[in-house]
Amino acid sequence: MLTRRDVLRLAPAPFFLRSAFGARMEGFERIDSHFHIHRDAPAVFASLKASGWSGLDLVVCPVAGDEPFDLESKLASTLACSRASGGRVAWASSFDARGFEQAGFADRTIARLLKTFDDGAIGVKIWKNIGMAIRGKSGAYLLPDDPSLTPIYEAIEKAGKTLVAHLAEPDGAWLPLDEKNPEFPYYSKNPQWHMLGKGTPPKEAILNARDRVLARFPKLRVVGCHLGSDEDHLDALARRLDSYPNLAVDTAARTRYFARGDRDKAVAFLTKYQDRILYATDYGLRDADPEAGAKALLARHDQDVAFYAGDAEMTYEGRPTKGLGLPEAVLRKLFRENARRWLPGIGV
Ligand SMILES: [Zn+2]
C-alpha cells in the first residue's frame, strides 16, 4: 500500500504543477532563463524538480580594471552545477573582454568558447562592463560593437548558440542617487555602477551599439537581459523588437517594473510581444545555505506566477499591485516555450 508521501514522490511532474491559478499554469514545466547558482547544490536541484522548474545558470566576468578574476574556476563550477542538476540547470559561458586590444584576443577567446560549447554551454553571456567600464589604451570605452568582438559574435552565431547580453542599466544609473531613484537600493550599495557625471558613454550609445550588432548578425539569437535595459521605456523596447527579429528579452529582476507600472500597458506589451519575452528572476545563490536558497527561489517563482497568472490584489516587493491575469497561451510562452526556442538546450 502506497502512502500519500510515496504517491507524491512517484507522481509525474505535472502532478505537482497544480497552482492557485486554475488550469492556466497546470501541467507544464516552467523555465527561469536567468539565474546564478554556480555550484553543486542538491537541495536547489531537488526543489526545482519537485516544483517543476528548470533554468539557465549564467557565468559573468564582472571585471573592468586589472584586478584578478578566476574565470576558469567560475566556468568549471558552473559546468559542475549543470552536470549535477539532472538536466534542470543549463549553463552559459562567458569571456574576459579586458584583453580586447591584445594580439590573438579573438582567436583565443573563440577557442575557449568552443570548448565550453563542447562542455554543453548553450550560450555566451556578455555584461555591462562592456560599454560602461572596460577601457582601451586610449582611454576610450569598449562598446558592444567594437571590431575586436565581431569575430566572437560570428563564432557564436556559427555554432548556433545564443548571445545573452546584459548591456547598459536602468535609467536610474544616470539619475541622481536619491530616494526618488527607483534603483537607489542597488546603486547606493554598488556606486561603481552609478554612472551620473562619470563621463561614461550615454545609455543610448551603448544600446545603439548593441543594436548595430543585431543588424550585422541577423541570424545571431540575442536575449537582452533585464528587458534589454529598456525597462523604463516599453515603447522604445517595442520599436527595437519590431526592428530586430533576432532580439528577445528576459524579465530578470524586472518583474517589479511591470508590477509598479501601468497594468493595462504591461498586459498589452506582454500580449503583443508574447513570442519575445522570457521569464527570469536573476536569483543568485551566492553563499546562502542551499536549503534556504531553494526556499527563497521557490518563493520568488511562486510570487511571480501569482503576479503574471493570477489577478488578485497582492504585494510585490513592498508595493501594492494586482496580478496581470495573462491568458494561458501567453503564460506558456513566457514561462516555457520562448526559452526553448531562444535558448535551445534549456529545460526538461
Ligand atoms: Zn544576472
Side-chain angles (χ1 to χ4, degrees):
M1 184 73 182
L2 289 176
T3 63
R4 181 176 150 74
R5 201 189 187 118
D6 290 329
V7 172
L8 283 169
R9 189 164 50 78
L10 296 171
F15 181 87
F16 294 100
L17 301 184
R18 294 187 187 288
S19 71
F21 310 103
R24 289 173 306 139
M25 285 300 287
E26 279 179 28
F28 69 94
E29 290 270 342
R30 302 133 191 192
I31 297 174
D32 179 343
S33 295
H34 180 158
F35 57 37
H36 304 279
I37 308 293
H38 306 304
R39 60 188 153 113
D40 184 0
V44 174
F45 308 147
S47 173
L48 289 172
K49 184 174 182 190
S51 54
W53 284 89
S54 348
L56 179 63
D57 199 5
L58 292 157
V59 173
V60 178
C61 184
V63 279
D66 51 12
E67 64 273 38
F69 182 72
D70 191 353
L71 178 61
E72 282 305 321
S73 85
K74 200 74 180 280
L75 291 168
S77 62
T78 311
L79 168 61
C81 168
S82 180
R83 285 199 172 146
S85 73
R88 293 275 156 185
V89 179
W91 75 289
S93 57
S94 190
F95 59 92
D96 191 337
R98 289 178 299 177
F100 74 102
E101 288 177 326
Q102 290 165 8
F105 164 74
D107 287 347
R108 247 188 342 266
T109 300
I110 290 166
R112 186 66 189 93
L113 290 176
L114 293 179
K115 173 78 172 59
T116 70
F117 300 157
D118 289 344
D119 284 336
I122 65 169
V124 175
K125 169 100 182 244
I126 57 173
W127 203 56
K128 64 189 178 189
N129 52 357
I130 298 177
M132 296 173 71
I134 297 177
R135 304 164 84 158
K137 287 192 206 82
S138 71
Y141 285 86
L142 171 67
L143 284 167
D145 66 336
D146 191 271
S148 63
L149 301 174
T150 306
I152 298 171
Y153 301 138
E154 208 168 355
I156 298 168
E157 179 191 66
K158 204 170 144 206
K161 306 299 176 184
T162 304
L163 181 70
V164 182
H166 172 181
L167 295 168
E169 282 280 83
D171 284 2
W174 287 269
L175 295 173
L177 192 52
D178 56 29
E179 302 283 345
K180 275 185 291 183
N181 188 323
E183 299 296 332
F184 181 79
Y186 178 78
Y187 295 120
S188 53
K189 285 197 205 90
N190 300 275
Q192 74 276 26
W193 296 111
H194 186 246
M195 295 287 118
L196 182 66
K198 289 189 180 165
T200 51
K203 174 170 176 170
E204 209 50 23
I206 302 169
L207 292 184
N208 288 343
R210 177 203 61 192
D211 292 351
R212 288 192 290 276
V213 175
L214 289 163
R216 173 148 184 194
F217 297 100
K219 292 199 177 107
L220 176 65
R221 286 185 307 271
V222 178
V223 174
C225 302
H226 314 301
L227 298 174
S229 292
D230 265 327
E231 57 276 269
D232 297 284
H233 310 281
L234 292 184
D235 296 344
L237 179 55
R239 282 195 296 278
R240 289 187 148 113
L241 291 167
D242 290 342
S243 300
Y244 306 105
N246 51 334
L247 174 67
V249 292
D250 78 30
T251 66
R254 296 297 180 271
T255 294
R256 61 196 159 92
Y257 276 75
F258 289 126
R260 69 151 198 244
D262 179 328
R263 182 174 182 268
D264 291 341
K265 202 174 165 186
V267 170
F269 180 81
L270 289 160
T271 303
K272 178 158 184 205
Y273 294 99
Q274 59 184 274
D275 296 309
R276 312 287 288 282
I277 303 163
L278 284 61
Y279 169 75
T281 56
D282 204 14
Y283 171 78
L285 180 60
R286 300 195 177 86
D287 298 326
D289 159 59
E291 299 269 353
K295 275 196 193 128
L297 181 55
L298 181 59
R300 177 76 75 82
H301 287 155
D302 285 349
Q303 174 181 251
D304 287 348
V305 167
F307 174 69
Y308 288 108
D311 59 3
E313 309 282 343
M314 63 184 286
T315 305
Y316 198 97
E317 296 195 358
R319 286 165 172 268
T321 188
K322 186 177 182 216
L324 298 181
L326 296 172
E328 180 179 353
V330 175
L331 293 169
R332 281 181 177 263
K333 291 177 179 178
L334 176 67
F335 283 99
R336 179 175 179 83
E337 290 163 17
N338 293 345
R340 299 275 284 180
R341 207 148 40 82
W342 288 84
L343 295 162
I346 200 173
V348 295

